[in-house]
Amino acid sequence: MSLLSRRKVLTASAVLGAHLAGPARIASSAQPDEQVDLTNITRGWETVTGQWAVEDVPGASRNGRALVQRAVNNEFNVIVAPGGPYTDVDVSVRFKPMSGREDASGGIVFRFSEGRYYVVRANALEDNFRLYYYDRGRFMLASAPVTAPKLGEWHTLRVTANKDGLRGWLNDGALINHRDGRFAAGRVGLWTKADSVTAFDSLTVRPKSSG
């Protein structure tokens, strides 16, 4: 067993095949200690909304391949990763905002359950870093001023959830420290808004406990 497996770290340099219209679940969930191979179709992913596929993206960490979201007509685009549900968890991902006129964002979804979730996101068109919850609508919980992440460059998002303590980082800068306990456990995923075309790479999930 690899060192990462022994530490029960799920590293997902995210992989998904062609998206069919509407929600789609690929059967067989990955376990928290499974390292997902970028070169294979990843089992256990669930497309909630969006058009997600693996593409060649300059700067991606595994053979130049990354997961890209290309739908431009949805309010939000969400894909949920294998594994979980998690209660307390530490999640990080690299993202590259590639284009967007209305929005050019990337986010981490956590504690996703029955369509409800938290999301921490950054936007290349806005100078803020925000934490929201979604429950039949999106509601802001916390915001921090930042220099907008640049289009066409890789950036790093990180979030930790420890009971009702929710913390967020952008490019290793700790920016959000907020308390909210409405969602106790759920799965992890990725998020974009509106016409954002965004690449994701090196998704890492470190569960502190499983729900």
Side-chain angles (χ1 to χ4, degrees), residues 29-98:
S29 295
Q31 296 300 313
D33 60 352
E34 180 180 344
Q35 181 171 325
V36 181
D37 187 349
L38 179 65
T39 62
N40 294 327
I41 297 297
T42 303
R43 298 179 178 180
W45 289 79
E46 178 184 353
T47 297
V48 180
T49 50
Q51 182 180 337
W52 302 82
V54 176
E55 301 181 10
D56 292 326
V57 180
S61 63
R62 291 176 68 92
N63 301 317
R65 304 278 280 169
L67 182 62
V68 179
Q69 196 300 119
R70 287 195 175 273
V72 296
N73 295 317
N74 298 322
E75 184 177 15
F76 307 112
N77 302 289
V78 176
I79 190 169
V80 182
Y86 308 105
T87 51
D88 298 343
V89 70
D90 184 337
V91 187
S92 63
V93 72
R94 296 175 73 220
F95 78 104
K96 183 179 186 177
M98 298 164 68

Side-chain angles (χ1 to χ4, degrees), residues 24-211:
R25 180 186 294 272
I26 301 175
S28 179
S29 295
Q31 296 300 313
D33 60 352
E34 180 180 344
Q35 181 171 325
V36 181
D37 187 349
L38 179 65
T39 62
N40 294 327
I41 297 297
T42 303
R43 298 179 178 180
W45 289 79
E46 178 184 353
T47 297
V48 180
T49 50
Q51 182 180 337
W52 302 82
V54 176
E55 301 181 10
D56 292 326
V57 180
S61 63
R62 291 176 68 92
N63 301 317
R65 304 278 280 169
L67 182 62
V68 179
Q69 196 300 119
R70 287 195 175 273
V72 296
N73 295 317
N74 298 322
E75 184 177 15
F76 307 112
N77 302 289
V78 176
I79 190 169
V80 182
Y86 308 105
T87 51
D88 298 343
V89 70
D90 184 337
V91 187
S92 63
V93 72
R94 296 175 73 220
F95 78 104
K96 183 179 186 177
M98 298 164 68
S99 67
R101 290 176 177 266
E102 178 184 344
D103 210 84
S105 59
I108 296 173
V109 166
F110 59 107
R111 292 185 177 171
F112 179 97
S113 180
E114 298 180 342
R116 297 182 290 271
Y117 58 87
Y118 294 109
V119 59
V120 63
R121 74 95 177 103
N123 186 348
L125 305 184
E126 298 181 12
D127 55 0
N128 55 63
F129 180 65
R130 289 180 172 172
L131 170 69
Y132 297 92
Y133 77 90
Y134 184 90
D135 186 356
R136 294 173 292 182
R138 188 186 64 162
F139 304 91
M140 189 173 69
L141 292 171
S143 181
V146 295
T147 300
K150 292 182 179 180
L151 275 171
E153 296 186 6
W154 287 101
H155 308 276
T156 302
L157 289 169
R158 181 187 172 201
V159 65
T160 63
N162 186 6
K163 298 183 174 61
D164 67 347
L166 311 177
R167 301 188 66 194
W169 288 257
L170 174 62
N171 293 330
D172 298 322
L175 298 168
I176 287 177
N177 189 351
H178 185 78
R179 291 195 174 276
D180 188 90
R182 75 191 67 231
F183 306 141
R187 295 169 67 189
V188 165
L190 303 171
W191 179 99
T192 71
K193 180 186 174 186
D195 63 342
S196 304
V197 175
T198 305
F200 294 90
D201 181 36
S202 301
L203 173 65
T204 301
V205 181
R206 295 180 176 88
K208 300 178 181 180
S209 60
S210 294

